[in-house]
């Protein structure tokens, strides 16, 4: 039962209207029935019928009266933030974040752990542990928890909730199927309906709903450069099978035929999740001994445990090796984004997944490269920004997708 209703993608007209009312309440509430009616271009009676269901289920509450221009003052309606809660779990470049979120998207409880090893088994166990910790810390809210949303890398099978995870085998990336269906594993332990979504899609949805505002209807969310979320005409675009947004191609059998000089591989070839930043820094350590010593002092690290976070820290202190590694990564990422900007012509590009920690100079370089490589007409009004939801973007997006389904009447 959980599986079918929570992962439904094609909404009926009634379900779509319910979701639209949710969006209006989240962005403009408290708001009156007549104002909702005007915005949706539906009569007040129809709107009232939807709202009565929400009121009966305590998803919406009536608030103080609005100022009247004469006659009876209209009642204002708003989301009942405590009318239900959702759990969202997301994985980014640095860590795994778990959140308990109310119906308004407010974070009630947060827990996080360092990014686990890139294996299916480790990722799955960490997901379960993060959910366990959220529940341990949220016992008073447990009866009102409506579902769990998970944002994770890979190709998500919407039918059974399994994940094809990108994993290295013999120095080549391949997709390895999860040994156990992730969704049924989580549902079995916690007895909540579970939604599994691609991490970039979840982050894109969260950024749109909770931060960017309704004015942006065409959004490209770059999730560290190895995948993207697409909002097209105001709706999350997943493709025919739910696999849209993978921005790389790979065929290890033909690898030697598919190389170029720009940063260890072509811009449409599969990259390391950190854009090769750490690997490039390690190459430079061998050539620039003095700068390497400075790097290690700044970050309390050594060549064997350098990670992306240490590169970001060193860059803030203007370490030459860190700056050079980020410079090349920014150029490679900018070229890839320029191609996508020409292809889909978004209004805004959001860069997230952990790269927002790289600093403003990195963003400026990426933006400059996009404008140098993409058509001028496509970039004249284009905005390029970091994710404002930052490390919470995936988990907030996954939780919000569950909230959407609550209002659609699917939970």
């Amino acid at each position: 039962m959980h599986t079918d209703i929570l992962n439904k993608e094609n909404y009926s007209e009634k379900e779509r209207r319910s979701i639209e009312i949710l969006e209006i309440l989240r962005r403009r509430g408290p708001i009156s029935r007549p104002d909702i009616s005007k915005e949706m271009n539906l009569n007040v009676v129809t709107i009232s019928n939807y709202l009565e269901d929400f009121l009966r289920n305590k998803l919406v509450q009536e608030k103080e009266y609005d100022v009247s221009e004469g006659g009876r003052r209209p009642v204002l309606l708003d989301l009942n933030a405590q009318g239900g809660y959702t759990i969202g779990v997301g994985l980014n470049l640095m860590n795994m974040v778990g959140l308990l979120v109310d119906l308004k998207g407010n974070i009630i409880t947060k827990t996080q752990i360092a990014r686990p090893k890139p294996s299916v088994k480790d990722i799955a166990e960490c997901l379960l542990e993060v959910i366990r910790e959220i529940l341990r810390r949220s016992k008073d809210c447990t009866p009102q928890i409506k579902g769990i949303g998970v944002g994770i890398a890979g190709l998500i099978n919407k039918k059974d909730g399994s994940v094809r995870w990108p994993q290295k085998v013999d120095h080549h990336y391949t997709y390895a199927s999860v040994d156990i269906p992730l969704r049924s594993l989580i549902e079995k332990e916690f007895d909540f309906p579970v939604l599994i979504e691609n991490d970039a899609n979840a982050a894109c949805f969260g950024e749109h709903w909770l931060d960017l505002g309704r004015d942006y209807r065409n959004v490209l969310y770059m999730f560290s450069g190895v995948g993207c979320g697409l909002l097209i005409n105001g709706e999350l675009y997943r493709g025919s099978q739910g696999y849209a947004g993978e921005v790389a191609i790979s065929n290890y059998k033909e690898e030697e035929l598919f190389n170029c000089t720009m940063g260890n591989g072509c811009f449409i070839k599969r990259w390391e999740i950190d854009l090769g930043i750490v690997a490039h820094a390690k190459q430079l350590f061998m050539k620039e001994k003095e700068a390497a010593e400075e790097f290690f002092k700044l970050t309390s690290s050594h060549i064997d445990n350098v990670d992306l976070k240490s590169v970001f820290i060193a860059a803030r202190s203007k370490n030459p090796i860190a700056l050079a590694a980020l410079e090349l990564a920014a150029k490679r990422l900018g070229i890839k984004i320029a191609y996508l900007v020409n292809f889909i012509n978004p209004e805004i590009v959001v860069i997230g997944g952990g790269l927002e920690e790289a600093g403003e100079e990195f963003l400026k370089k990426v933006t400059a490269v996009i404008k140098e490589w993409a058509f001028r007409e496509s970039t004249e009004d284009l905005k390029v920004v970091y994710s404002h939801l930052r490390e919470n973007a995936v988990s907030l997006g996954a939780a919000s997708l569950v909230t959407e389904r609550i209002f659609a009447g699917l939970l």
Side-chain angles (χ1 to χ4, degrees), residues 29-44:
I31 186 172
S32 68
R33 288 175 175 83
D35 285 340
I36 297 173
S37 171
K38 288 177 186 176
E39 184 152 341
M40 293 183 64
N41 197 27
L42 291 172
N43 66 62
V44 175

Side-chain angles (χ1 to χ4, degrees), residues 73-140:
R73 294 182 298 176
V75 176
L76 295 179
L77 297 124
D78 200 1
L79 290 180
N80 177 14
Q82 287 75 49
Y85 301 92
T86 58
I87 293 174
V89 184
L91 185 65
N92 55 53
L93 281 171
M94 306 292 188
N95 51 29
M96 182 178 286
V97 176
L99 303 173
L100 180 72
V101 179
D102 69 19
L103 291 184
K104 286 193 172 185
N106 300 311
I107 297 172
I108 308 302
T109 302
K110 177 177 178 178
T111 188
Q112 63 187 65
I113 58 175
R115 183 181 174 89
K117 294 178 181 179
S119 74
V120 171
K121 182 178 179 182
D122 289 329
I123 295 290
E125 183 51 45
C126 285
L127 275 169
L128 294 173
E129 185 52 41
V130 165
I131 297 169
R132 292 181 195 122
E133 179 61 21
I134 288 288
L135 290 171
R136 277 195 292 266
R137 294 168 55 187
S138 310
K139 292 181 180 178
D140 291 344

Side-chain angles (χ1 to χ4, degrees), residues 7 23 90 164 169 174 210 279 288 292 316 337 358-359 399 407 410:
N7 289 273
E23 290 192 62
R164 296 186 67 206
V169 179
T174 185
L210 300 174
E288 304 179 28
R316 293 184 196 118
I337 294 175
F407 275 78
L410 299 176

Side-chain angles (χ1 to χ4, degrees), residues 158-213:
K158 291 293 183 179
K159 293 180 180 179
D160 63 13
S162 64
V163 181
R164 296 186 67 206
W165 179 264
Q167 193 164 311
K168 268 194 169 182
V169 179
D170 295 330
H171 304 291
H172 302 292
Y173 271 107
T174 185
Y175 276 94
S177 294
V178 175
D179 293 331
I180 43 179
L182 188 57
R183 187 170 69 210
S184 63
L185 178 72
I186 299 172
E187 287 182 343
K188 183 176 180 181
E189 176 167 346
F190 302 108
D191 196 29
F192 290 116
V194 174
L195 177 144
I196 309 291
E197 183 57 84
N198 174 267
D199 49 9
N201 286 344
C204 183
F205 185 82
E207 202 77 28
H208 169 64
W209 259 40
L210 300 174
D211 184 72
L212 291 177

Side-chain angles (χ1 to χ4, degrees), residues 226-250:
V226 298
C228 70
L230 298 171
L231 193 80
I232 297 178
N233 291 329
E235 294 190 3
L236 198 61
Y237 180 76
R238 297 179 175 89
S240 61
Q241 303 297 323
Y243 301 142
E246 297 296 321
V247 292
I249 56 176
S250 178

